[in-house]
Amino acid sequence: MLDLSTPVQYTKGIGPRLAEVLAGKGIHTVADLLHYLPFRYEDRLNPRGIAELRPGEMATVIAEVRTSGLFRTRRMPIFQMTAAQGRARLKCLWFNGTYLRDRFKPGQMVALYGKVEEDRRSGELQIMQPQFEILDEGSEDNGGDAAEQKLAESLEVGRIVPIYESAGQGRLTARWFRGIIRSALENMPPDRRDPIPAAVRSRMGLIAPNEALWKVHWPDAGESFTDLQAARTPGHLRLIFEELFFVELGLEFKRRQMKAQTGVAFTLNDRAREAIKKILPFHPTNAQKRVLKEIAGDMQKPYPMRRLLQGDVGSGKTIVAFEAAIIALENGYQVALMAPTEILAQQHYFNARRILENAGYRIVLLTGSLEQDRKREIRRHISHGNAHLVIGTHALLEQTVEFAKIGLVIVDEQHRFGVMQRLKLMRKTSEEKAANASSEEPSPSPEPDVLVMTATPIPRTLALTLYGDLDLSVLDELPPGRTPIVTRRVSDERSDEVWEFLRKQVAAGHQAYVVYPVIQENEERELKAALKMYRDLSNVVFADLKVGLLHGRMEGNRKEEVMRRFQSGELNILVATTVIEVGVDVSNATVMVIEHAERFGLSQLHQLRGRIGRGGAKSFCILMTGGKVSEEGERRLDAMVRTNDGFQIAELDLELRGPGEFFGTRQAGLPSFLIANLIRDRQILEAAKREAAAVLEGPNQEISQPEIDRALQHMHARWQNMYGLVEVG
Ligand code: ADP
Ligand code: MG
């Protein structure tokens, strides 16, 4: 019998070298191997007759090799093989197929899979680049043992056959995986206890774990082929639920552990209420009121807040953050506000001073570009408690900043921080706490509250997995008086018209951004670049206007200077790179021109567009394209023209790029699921979340303590294996 946690290296047929190849696929243990599911299936129980094939369909055909050979065209070598069933013939072609030269021998049986086409000239049926498997080829890995060979054969035909993604540059073939997984299945402990509590299992109608594994790898003859391909068989549903359930259990567990810690129970007294009312420069929207209530509610609790505030660009998150800050400040605690860029930190600093300084709070700005001496001085103020509200970039995170009495940490535009950085922040605060606890101090300082803000409108179900350990608030209403932004797409051949339009807007007293994908031309030849276009625009096209330049390689105080001049209205036009993507807020700016718009990601375009439409005046986003636009590029531009809704944009972006790219967390250690697909399996995710919460509610009539213990134990084991990076507890 195999132990599921055994490293694959110790199973028969896998040595250290193959184990390394498997590790590259995320397969470390026997359990991982068993969860390496087929990415599709071939119906070799009812393979198609060649005579009945129709052009356009995907088909599996089992036929006999007749002839094969390589011929050269002017453009490339093509390998051709003809397979037959009696008289019926099927031509198979592989471009650049030199590698197939000695692969097929007449008389061999082959399984072929691909899209059937009609050869336009001869009218014959053919499949281009079919996937294939030679069926009566000895299984090389097993050394040709007769009995084993017979088994191997029976796994290839006369049934629905699982097709696995090959590994190790094709060294580990689908056939190899079939054999190795089959033998692992046969050696599974038969009476494995289900780690999912019985009540959950029955509510969800889940089949037993071993049965599920057997059925997804080796489907019964009667299984619906459509369900198999769509991963919707009972076996698939069981395994997908299981994976998501234990992730959700882990997140929920973490959330509850956090709540078991000591935080600051802030009081929301009349003084704080008055202070909040006094700073508000306008009537808050209903959404802002609701969200503040949720935050204030958390802050009053005796355990630490961990809340994510999600709101589309321009929904007014900043003021909500300031309100939360006041609650902490009025209670005599310090507040840290962190932004992803210096520009944004500076903007928050100016706003905070404008809005909060009258109330007597001392506000400091701490960024990486400050002189050493100045930084040291500011840090001293922070550690002595003389600075109340500390605003900075993540320099705050990286350097050791000691707070005298930190009560609230606000992280703005979180999507720019990696997920791991978010964890680091949380960890840092708990480490500080641990450090304090071990020192002579009588009582450890309480864990500060944390408010994370993001403008990436993450579809709710995804937010549940990514931020499942956070509570979620959503600002789903824009401040009043905004007119929707008009978005147009034009070819850059019409740039003269665009510049003319800009000129008119400036004449009407407004300001404009012009954004480029790169700073300098030599980065990518064919792209217009910010530096050069700045010269053209400021010296020639808009010689009579004030044009500024802003990009990421400028020094901190020069950036600040340019931003200030744009903010004050002194500059009419700002030529920039995506440094202005997040957060920058100049309500008089009504035009956003993006050159080479086809080069930007969808969420990025939406963020950039979010820089305008912030005042009452009608705003215009002009997407200029230069050069060929890919099909995906077309879809992005279409979406931008069609909708202003951040949630719709996010959905589409997620679909186009997949979760890893979408969140930019591929490197940052976002767990990648073995089986579940966050887009396909949203509903299962919701259910998993709900059931995980139910389990952690504690024992009751439905769920017993031993069952809970077993689930938690499994969760710990699974998380260690699957998501080495994510710490539990
Ligand atoms: P974001 O959510 O993108 O960070 P901001 O906090 O920068 O948005 O707010 C965008 C603009 O809307 C700012 O100019 C801000 O002053 C303004 N604003 C925010 N809330 C309101 C409100 N309730 N009424 C009117 N204007 C508001
Ligand atoms: Mg903001």
Side-chain angles (χ1 to χ4, degrees), residues 314 316-318 344 347-348 412-413 453 455 582-584 611 614:
K317 294 184 290 293
T318 314
L344 202 50
Q347 181 181 292
H348 280 322
D412 190 22
E413 302 296 352
M453 307 199 287
V582 283
V584 170
R611 298 310 112 221
R614 296 185 151 242

Side-chain angles (χ1 to χ4, degrees), residues 280-286 288 311-320 344 347-348 351 354-355 412-413 453-455 475 478-482 582-587 607 610-611 613-615:
L280 277 181
F282 32 61
H283 286 293
T285 63
N286 284 329
Q288 283 170 325
D312 204 351
V313 285
S315 58
K317 294 184 290 293
T318 314
I319 204 75
V320 174
L344 202 50
Q347 181 181 292
H348 280 322
N351 277 332
R354 185 163 52 84
I355 296 174
D412 190 22
E413 302 296 352
M453 307 199 287
T454 178
L475 270 183
L478 292 182
R482 305 263 170 97
V582 283
V584 170
D585 181 37
V586 178
S587 57
Q607 289 288 335
R611 298 310 112 221
R614 296 185 151 242

